[in-house]
Amino acid sequence: RIDHVAWVDWAGFEEIGDLLGGVEVYIPETVHDSARHRTWTKGTHLLSGEEALLYVRQRYGLPGGDLDRVKRQQYVLRSILRGLRQSVDPKNPKKAYDLLDIITRHLTVDSGFSGGDLRGLALDLARMPSEDLTFFTAPVAGLGKEGAQSVVHLDKREGRRLWAAMREDEMDAWLAENPELVTGGTVS
């Protein structure tokens, strides 16, 4: 069951990256995105919002294709959350206001998501060190096509184990058994 849904559009993603002064990423190996004619060189980079969006949208040229793109998105989200946590300073209310302005202009939530829910989520994220966040992908059985559309087939048996671990608050044990699904400190 999904309790609530919230998402920020691409323009908001770019603006948040720019407000933070960039999004820091480490690229372990030089890789070329043939779809966007962009080469990402090995090393640490401070990406503008626009560059960060290009980075998280790449799938061509990555060994795991779409699955590596998911890991990049999770990796960049962790970097953005770290930047947000560092930038929300009670001594600088203007920056907090600018951030809230961007988020409210570009955020869409479900009808049951209240202002109080959003405030609570923001406060929880602001207090949580990014090191305490674990990003992972659901177990995958394989890739395929449905008509002309590329699809990812979930591993239903392993998925049942994942959802049971979530329900029973045993995620630490599940993650320890499935380290290959965890998005690490560097990604392709």
Side-chain angles (χ1 to χ4, degrees):
R1 187 182 102 227
I2 298 174
D3 295 320
H4 294 292
V5 175
W7 66 92
V8 174
D9 63 29
W10 293 129
F13 179 91
E14 285 186 27
E15 286 186 44
I16 290 169
D18 290 338
L19 178 70
L20 296 175
V23 179
E24 185 173 298
V25 298
Y26 175 74
I27 300 170
E29 297 293 329
T30 297
V31 62
H32 181 71
D33 181 350
S34 60
R36 292 178 181 79
H37 310 289
R38 175 73 191 247
T39 299
W40 300 99
T41 58
K42 178 180 178 175
T44 301
H45 301 269
L46 187 63
L47 305 179
S48 69
E50 180 181 5
E51 291 170 322
L53 183 56
L54 288 173
Y55 177 78
V56 300
R57 293 181 77 185
Q58 179 179 357
R59 66 181 173 168
Y60 298 104
L62 299 176
D66 283 326
L67 298 176
D68 281 346
R69 176 168 54 181
V70 169
K71 288 182 179 185
R72 278 186 170 199
Q73 292 168 356
Q74 294 170 344
Y75 175 77
V76 167
L77 182 55
R78 180 184 295 133
S79 182
I80 287 172
L81 290 172
R82 184 180 314 114
L84 288 174
R85 189 165 182 269
Q86 293 168 352
S87 73
V88 177
D89 180 358
K91 296 174 188 147
N92 186 353
K94 168 104 172 69
K95 193 164 190 180
Y97 174 82
D98 291 344
L99 176 61
L100 289 173
D101 180 54
I102 291 169
I103 290 172
T104 55
R105 282 188 288 115
H106 297 282
L107 180 72
T108 303
V109 297
D110 66 82
S111 61
F113 205 108
S114 71
D117 291 332
L118 184 57
R119 182 178 57 248
L121 177 61
L123 290 171
D124 287 346
L125 289 173
R127 292 182 193 125
M128 182 184 303
S130 58
E131 301 78 39
D132 289 350
L133 291 171
T134 301
F135 291 93
F136 63 93
T137 55
V140 171
L143 305 174
K145 290 267 197 185
E146 295 291 331
Q149 185 65 49
S150 296
V151 295
V152 175
H153 297 285
L154 295 179
D155 183 326
K156 292 179 183 179
R157 185 178 69 78
E158 289 301 316
R160 283 191 292 276
R161 291 184 60 238
L162 164 62
W163 311 132
M166 281 188 181
R167 277 192 307 277
E168 297 163 17
D169 196 22
E170 296 179 358
M171 285 304 298
D172 288 341
W174 186 88
L175 290 166
E177 293 172 13
N178 297 279
E180 72 283 1
L181 299 176
V182 175
T183 300
T186 60
V187 296
S188 296

